[in-house]
Amino acid sequence: MLREQDVGHRIVVRRIVGSRAGRPVFSDALGELVELTETHLEMTTRQGRLRVPIAEVHRAKRVPPSRRPTAEAMIELELAADEAWPAPVRDRLGDWLLRSADGWTGRANSALPVGDPDRPLPAALDAVHRWYAERGRPAIVNTPLPLATPVDAELDLRGWESRPLVLVQTVPLADLTAPGGRRDHTVAAAAPTVELTAAPSDDWLAVAAGRKGGLPDAARHVLTAVDQVRFAHAYDGDTLLGVGRGTITGGGRWLGLSLIEVLPEARRRGVARAVIGALAQWAGTADAADVFLQVEQRNAPAVALYRTLGFSTHHTYRSRVAPS
């Protein structure tokens, strides 16, 4: 049976749709799981969204994606994402990246094991552990999967903690910006006003601090030290409803979305869609081609929203933390 960690992945479901001559009649559905509760599951298929009561599920399981990204494509996207979230303290271990930002967010305080570390894997992980210990920080390694499966397996042997799985999702930018397209609702007329600025306002920073647990100086570097960056502010009159951040990296190809946050009292009003739509329009003027974001697979509402906008999972990563 399916589990919460299957949200955001491709699944096949055999469900009971009736009976004939006293025997159940089954129907199979293939698609991406967007919601799983105690009472039902919801998935997207080629025919549209499908909601299946759990009582009607005979069998269900995760299946491999229809196409796996190449190692080169995964490395390209991981490096674009690193460029979009730049840690102020950086070092290299061969091709691997070592990053530190005063403990603010896991991404900016982790090693990224892509490429060749110029030494055997056990020695490379020993060096990662020493690098973070010298800075008084816990050693964290982000393992893009399936690219870094050997690293992930070695960390299993060492007893490193595993944090929740993160989905790295993508969509062509044209799918978010094409007028009259099936996702044109991202910029619907009823949406709130969205302003884009080159620097975050105090109100924007306050929302980000509330979500991320404060903003040390290193955090401001992570947020602003990108050549092409915009901070989205969604308003209803003078009232801030939500925020978001967009970056263009990877040689101009990738719009990266981060910190898409809607205030609790403004949820279910199209704020997130409006923020994403405004950032997509900006990226279009800069000739970006594709969009990426990172979302924990257990965040079912966000995964469902991004799916309606056309995002699909490119690959995943897991943050691994050394035992204390």
Side-chain angles (χ1 to χ4, degrees), residues 9-24:
H9 290 274
R10 195 163 176 252
I11 63 168
V12 62
V13 175
R14 172 159 289 187
R15 58 196 177 105
I16 302 169
V17 294
S19 64
R20 183 181 300 119
R23 296 183 178 182

Side-chain angles (χ1 to χ4, degrees), residues 33-282:
L33 180 64
V34 296
E35 185 178 26
L36 180 64
T37 73
E38 294 181 356
T39 60
H40 70 274
L41 66 83
E42 190 162 352
M43 59 192 295
T44 56
T45 71
R46 288 185 176 180
Q47 290 74 39
R49 296 176 74 87
L50 177 65
R51 185 184 179 96
V52 183
I54 294 299
E56 296 179 5
V57 176
H58 179 65
R59 293 178 183 173
K61 65 179 181 179
R62 189 195 297 191
V63 296
S66 56
R67 292 181 299 171
R68 291 184 180 272
T70 65
E72 292 77 10
M74 289 183 64
I75 291 172
E76 176 194 353
L77 183 48
E78 283 293 323
L79 294 179
D82 170 71
E83 186 184 347
W85 201 254
V89 178
R90 304 171 66 84
D91 206 346
R92 284 191 173 272
L93 189 70
D95 294 329
W96 288 17
L97 296 175
L98 306 175
R99 307 170 291 190
S100 182
D102 293 341
W104 193 73
T105 75
R107 277 181 287 167
N109 290 273
S110 62
L112 180 62
V114 296
D116 184 357
D118 286 343
R119 65 204 71 194
L121 178 56
L125 293 174
D126 289 342
V128 168
H129 200 286
R130 288 194 300 270
W131 192 87
Y132 285 98
E134 290 168 359
R135 288 155 181 81
R137 307 300 313 174
I140 304 175
V141 176
N142 273 11
T143 54
L145 301 172
L147 179 67
T149 296
V151 178
D152 202 50
E154 177 67 20
L155 294 176
D156 278 339
L157 295 176
R158 295 179 178 224
W160 284 42
E161 173 193 345
S162 181
R163 289 181 176 173
L165 194 68
V166 174
L167 311 179
V168 181
Q169 300 200 310
T170 62
V171 68
L173 181 64
D175 284 6
L176 294 182
T177 58
R182 67 183 180 92
R183 300 182 188 100
D184 195 41
H185 56 275
T186 59
V187 290
T193 301
V194 179
E195 296 180 4
L196 302 184
T197 59
S201 68
D202 290 342
D203 287 343
W204 194 103
L205 292 170
V207 174
R211 176 174 174 180
K212 294 295 187 181
L215 290 177
D217 289 342
R220 294 174 183 266
H221 181 279
V222 172
L223 292 171
T224 62
V226 182
D227 287 341
Q228 296 189 80
V229 59
R230 290 294 184 272
F231 297 88
H233 306 68
Y235 291 102
D236 181 2
D238 295 330
T239 302
L240 183 67
L241 304 179
V243 301
R245 174 177 175 270
T247 56
I248 298 177
T249 59
R253 172 183 175 181
W254 291 101
L255 166 64
L257 299 175
S258 59
L259 287 169
I260 308 297
E261 184 74 5
V262 179
L263 299 182
E265 62 272 19
R267 289 173 184 165
R268 299 187 179 276
R269 293 171 53 184
V271 176
R273 295 176 184 274
V275 165
I276 292 171
L279 290 169
Q281 294 289 346
W282 164 70

